[in-house]
C-alpha cells in the first residue's frame, strides 16, 4: 500500500496542500522508491509530486530545510545524483507525453517521463525525437546534459530539439523559458544539467520518422586497428542520416578476443541509400556477423531496466577532436587486445551536432569527432579492483581527449565539472546560477556554484 499523506513536522511553509505521495523510512512504498536505478541509497524523505504546483511546494519545502535536495527524473544517473541521504523529489508521476501540434511536431513531455514513454506515443504517429539508445532512461537527465543517440548526426543532441522548458526555480516559481522568455535560463538548461531547477515539462520539436536500417556488423578482432581507422574516416564524410557506434573489448562477448562491433543506424527506409552509406564499412575487415535490417525506429531502442542488486558501474568519457582521432584509435586498438580491458564504446559525432555553434547552448563540445566511453560493470568488489587499471588507461588517453560528457560519468567532482564545461561556458553558467539559485539549492548534480568563475 502506498502511503499518501501530508508531511508531519515541517520547515517553515510545510507541505500543506501537497497532493502527491510523501514517503519516509518505514513506509510500505519507501523500499521500492529509496534507490535510483544504479545506486542504493536511503533518503530521509521522498516527495512524489502529481503536478507542477506540487513541485513548487516540494522545492519551497526542501529549500527551507537543511537537508540536501536530489531531483529524480528517470533515475539512471551513473553518479547516483538522483538519490541521496536528504530529500528526493521524484518526478515519476509527471510522465505525460502530449502532442500539441501534430503537423508541426510539437510535443510536451513531463519532467519524469522516460524515452520509452515518448516513443510509445510518438511512434504510432510517425514522429520521433533524437534521444538516447535506451527506453528506461529519463528524458530529464539525458536532455539537460546533452542526449546522444541513434539520430544524433541527423537531428543533433536531444537538447537541440528543445523549444522550451517549464521549470520550478529555487524560489519556488514555475516559469517558462525559451529563446524569447528568459533566454539565459533556456541557454543554461540546455547542457547545464539539474543546476537551475526542476523541469516539470519539456517542449520538443519532433521530426517525421520512417523505418530505419539498423544493426550490428562484427569484425574479426585481429584487424581492429584498420577497422577503427576506416570507420572513423568514413563517418567523417558519411551522410548525416548515418549514425554509428563502435564497441571494443566487450567483456561479455569475449574480452580481448571479442569482435569489433560496429552498430549502424541509417535514418531512412530506402535500401539503396542505406547500402551506399553502410557498404563501405562492410569492406573494412573480415566480417563475422552482419545483422543490419530494416525496422521501426522504436525497435532499435534497448528496453533497459534496473540491474540486479550489488552491481556497480565505473563510467568515464571524453571527447576526441579530428587531429587526435588516429592516435586515440591506435591506442584503444592496442588496449582492447589486453586482458581486463573495460568495455570501450566510441560514438561518432559531427553532422547536425557540429552545425550548432559552440556558444549556442551550454553543451560546448560541438566540434568533436568522437565520444569515447569506458564502462566496467559487475560485482562491486570486482569493479573496485579494476579502478587502478582504468585510471591508468585514462592517463594514457589524456593527451588525446578533451573534456567529458556529463551523462557518462560516475562521479561529480569539481574536476569532472571542469572537464564538462570549458571555462567560458562555466563562467556564463555560474552567472546564471547566481541569478536563479544564489543559495545553491540545486547542488546534487554536476554543480556549478553560484557566481564562482574559474
Ligand atoms: P536521473 O538519475 O533521474 O537524473 C540525472 C540528473 O539529471 C540528476 O542530476 C537529476 O537531478 C537531473 N534531472 C533529471 N530529471 C530532471 C528534471 N526533470 N529536472 C531537473 N533535473 C533533472 N546518455 C546518452 O546521451 N545517450 C544514451 O544512449 C544513453 N544511454 C544510456 C543507457 C543506460 C542503460 C544508462 C544507465 C544511461 C544512459 N545514458 C545515455 C546516460 C543518461 O543520459 C544519464 O544517465 C542521465 O543522467 C539519465 O537521466 P535520468 O533522468 O534517467 O537520470
Amino acid at each position: 500500500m502506498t502511503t499518501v499523506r501530508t508531511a508531519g513536522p515541517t520547515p517553515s511553509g510545510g507541505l500543506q496542500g501537497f497532493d502527491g505521495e510523501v514517503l519516509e523510512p518505514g513506509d510500505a512504498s519507501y523500499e521500492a522508491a529509496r534507490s535510483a536505478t544504479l545506486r542504493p541509497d536511503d533518503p530521509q524523505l521522498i516527495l512524489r509530486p502529481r503536478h507542477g504546483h506540487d513541485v513548487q511546494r516540494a522545492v519551497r519545502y526542501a529549500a527551507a530545510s537543511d537537508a540536501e535536495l536530489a531531483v529524480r527524473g528517470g533515475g539512471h544517473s551513473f553518479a547516483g545524483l538522483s538519490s541521496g541521504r536528504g530529500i528526493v523529489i521524484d518526478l515519476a508521476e509527471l510522465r505525460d507525453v502530449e502532442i500539441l501540434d501534430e503537423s508541426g511536431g510539437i510535443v510536451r513531455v513531463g519532467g519524469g517521463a522516460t524515452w520509452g514513454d515518448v516513443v510509445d506515443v510518438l511512434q504510432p504517429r510517425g514522429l520521433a525525437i533524437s534521444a538516447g539508445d535506451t527506453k528506461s532512461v529519463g528524458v530529464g537527465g539525458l536532455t539537460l546534459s546533452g542526449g546522444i543517440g541513434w539520430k544524433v548526426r541527423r537531428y543533433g543532441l536531444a537538447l537541440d530539439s528543445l523549444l522550451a522548458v517549464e521549470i520550478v526555480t529555487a524560489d519556488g516559481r514555475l516559469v517558462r523559458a525559451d529563446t524569447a522568455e528568459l533566454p539565459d535560463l533556456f541557454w543554461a538548461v540546455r547542457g547545464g544539467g539539474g543546476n537551475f531547477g526542476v523541469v516539470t515539462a519539456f517542449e520538443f520539436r519532433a521530426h517525421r520518422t520512417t523505418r530505419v536500417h539498423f544493426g550490428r556488423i562484427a569484425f574479426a578482432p585481429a584487424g581492429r586497428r584498420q577497422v577503427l581507422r576506416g570507420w572513423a574516416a568514413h563517418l567523417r564524410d558519411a551522410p548525416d542520416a548515418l549514425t554509428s557506434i563502435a564497441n571494443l573489448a566487450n567483456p561479455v562477448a569475449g574480452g580481448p578476443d571479442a569482435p569489433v562491433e560496429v552498430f549502424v543506424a541509417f535514418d531512412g527506409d530506402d535500401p539503396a541509400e542505406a547500402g551506399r552509406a553502410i557498404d563501405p564499412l562492410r569492406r573494412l575487415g573480415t566480417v563475422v556477423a552482419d545483422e543490419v535490417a530494416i525496422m521501426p525506429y522504436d525497435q532499435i531502442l534497448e528496453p533497459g531496466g534496473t540491474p540486479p542488486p550489488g552491481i556497480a558501474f565505473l563510467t568515464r568519457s571524453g571527447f576526441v577532436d579530428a587531429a587526435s582521432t588516429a592516435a586515440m584509435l591506435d591506442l584503444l586498438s592496442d588496449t582492447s587486445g589486453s586482458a581486463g580491458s573495460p568495455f570501450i564504446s566510441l560514438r561518432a559525432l559531427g553532422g547536425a551536432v557540429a552545425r550548432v555553434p559552440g556558444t549556442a547552448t551550454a553543451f560546448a563540445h560541438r566540434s568533436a569527432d568522437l565520444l569515447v566511453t569506458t564502462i566496467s560493470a559487475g560485482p562491486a568488489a570486482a569493479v573496485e579492483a579494476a579502478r587502478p587499471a582504468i585510471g591508468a588507461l585514462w592517463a594514457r588517453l589524456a593527451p588525446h581527449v578533451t573534456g567529458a560528457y556529463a551523462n557518462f560519468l560516475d562521479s561529480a567532482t569539481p574536476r569532472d565539472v571542469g572537464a564538462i564545461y570549458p571555462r567560458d561556458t562555466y563562467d556564463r553558467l555560474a552567472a546564471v546560477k547566481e541569478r536563479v539559485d544564489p543559495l545553491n539549492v540545486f547542488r546534487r548534480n554536476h554543480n556549478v556554484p553560484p557566481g564562482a568563475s574559474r
Side-chain angles (χ1 to χ4, degrees):
M1 260 305 276
T2 298
T3 307
V4 182
R5 54 180 156 70
T6 52
T10 62
S12 61
L15 275 170
Q16 285 79 11
F18 183 81
D19 287 336
E21 289 175 73
V22 179
L23 304 175
E24 287 171 298
D27 290 343
S29 306
Y30 176 85
E31 274 310 308
R34 65 193 287 176
S35 298
T37 313
L38 307 180
R39 296 271 188 112
D41 234 320
D42 49 1
Q44 68 186 54
L45 185 68
I46 302 168
L47 301 173
R48 280 208 174 136
R50 290 199 198 287
H51 42 67
H53 296 308
D54 266 354
V55 176
Q56 292 181 272
R57 290 183 187 106
V59 167
R60 286 194 186 114
Y61 176 83
S65 88
D66 294 332
E68 186 179 57
L69 170 63
V71 177
R72 186 179 301 163
H76 278 58
S77 160
F78 283 104
L81 296 173
S82 54
S83 200
R85 299 287 165 93
I87 298 173
V88 173
I89 298 180
D90 178 355
L91 303 173
E93 296 291 323
L94 271 63
R95 289 172 68 162
D96 281 356
V97 179
E98 197 186 344
I99 299 180
L100 301 179
D101 168 1
E102 187 155 354
S103 59
I106 300 179
V107 182
R108 185 175 185 275
V109 179
T114 64
W115 288 105
D117 297 328
V118 174
V119 292
D120 284 352
V121 173
L122 297 197
Q123 180 78 25
R125 316 292 270 274
L127 294 170
I129 297 169
S130 177
D133 57 19
T134 303
K135 289 182 178 176
S136 61
V137 169
V139 172
L142 180 133
T143 304
L144 293 170
S145 289
I148 298 174
W150 290 124
K151 286 170 178 269
V152 72
R153 285 177 30 85
R154 181 155 192 193
Y155 295 103
L157 306 167
L159 59 75
D160 292 330
S161 298
L162 254 191
L163 296 173
V165 292
E166 294 163 27
I167 181 168
V168 175
T169 49
D171 56 5
R173 283 187 311 141
L174 175 54
V175 297
R176 179 185 166 92
D178 57 23
T179 52
E181 270 177 81
L182 302 174
D184 284 353
L185 179 57
F186 188 53
W187 172 85
V189 296
R190 286 176 294 160
N195 271 291
F196 301 95
V198 183
V199 176
T200 55
F202 296 87
E203 200 172 293
F204 288 101
R205 186 183 300 284
H207 56 262
R208 294 260 140 221
T209 190
T210 59
R211 290 186 300 160
V212 299
H213 287 79
F214 176 80
R216 183 180 79 117
I217 305 170
F219 295 89
R224 61 169 77 82
R225 183 181 283 232
Q226 177 189 325
V227 170
L228 286 184
R229 278 190 172 223
W231 170 80
H234 178 63
L235 261 296
R236 204 168 294 136
D237 297 325
D240 291 355
L242 182 66
T243 289
S244 184
I245 297 179
N247 291 335
L248 290 165
N250 185 340
V252 181
D257 298 324
V260 176
E261 297 180 315
V262 169
F263 284 84
V264 291
F266 181 82
D267 191 41
D269 58 3
D270 181 332
E273 277 182 34
R276 277 195 295 280
I278 297 169
D279 283 348
L281 294 173
R282 296 185 162 109
R283 295 192 282 270
L284 292 174
T286 307
V287 174
V288 295
D290 187 336
E291 296 157 0
V292 179
I294 187 164
M295 60 190 79
Y297 169 65
D298 62 339
Q299 279 184 23
I300 77 177
L301 303 183
E302 290 288 333
T306 306
I311 297 297
F313 292 83
L314 280 186
T315 309
R316 286 186 69 171
S317 60
F319 293 95
V320 189
D321 290 333
S324 298
T325 296
M328 158 68 112
L329 294 178
D330 289 354
L331 207 158
L332 289 180
S333 299
D334 298 344
T335 302
S336 63
S338 4
S341 173
F343 174 70
I344 301 169
S345 181
L346 296 157
R347 292 182 183 231
L349 299 174
V353 180
R355 283 195 292 275
V356 176
T359 54
T361 67
F363 177 95
H365 301 282
R366 298 280 181 177
S367 60
D369 233 22
L370 303 176
L371 169 68
V372 58
T373 307
T374 62
I375 301 183
S376 293
V383 166
E384 213 36 57
R387 194 183 282 278
I390 291 175
L393 167 61
W394 278 94
R396 290 202 302 282
L397 295 180
H400 311 295
V401 295
T402 331
Y405 178 42
N407 278 337
F408 289 143
L409 282 181
D410 60 28
S411 55
T413 62
R415 193 170 164 198
D416 293 327
V417 177
I420 295 165
Y421 303 114
R423 201 175 74 194
D424 289 354
T425 310
Y426 183 95
D427 289 352
R428 198 170 157 190
L429 285 169
V432 179
K433 180 82 171 173
E434 172 79 32
R435 288 201 295 281
V436 301
D437 184 13
L439 299 177
N440 209 4
V441 170
F442 299 106
R443 60 184 179 279
R444 193 157 168 74
N445 42 48
H446 289 106
N447 191 226
V448 178
S453 60
R454 269 211 334 252

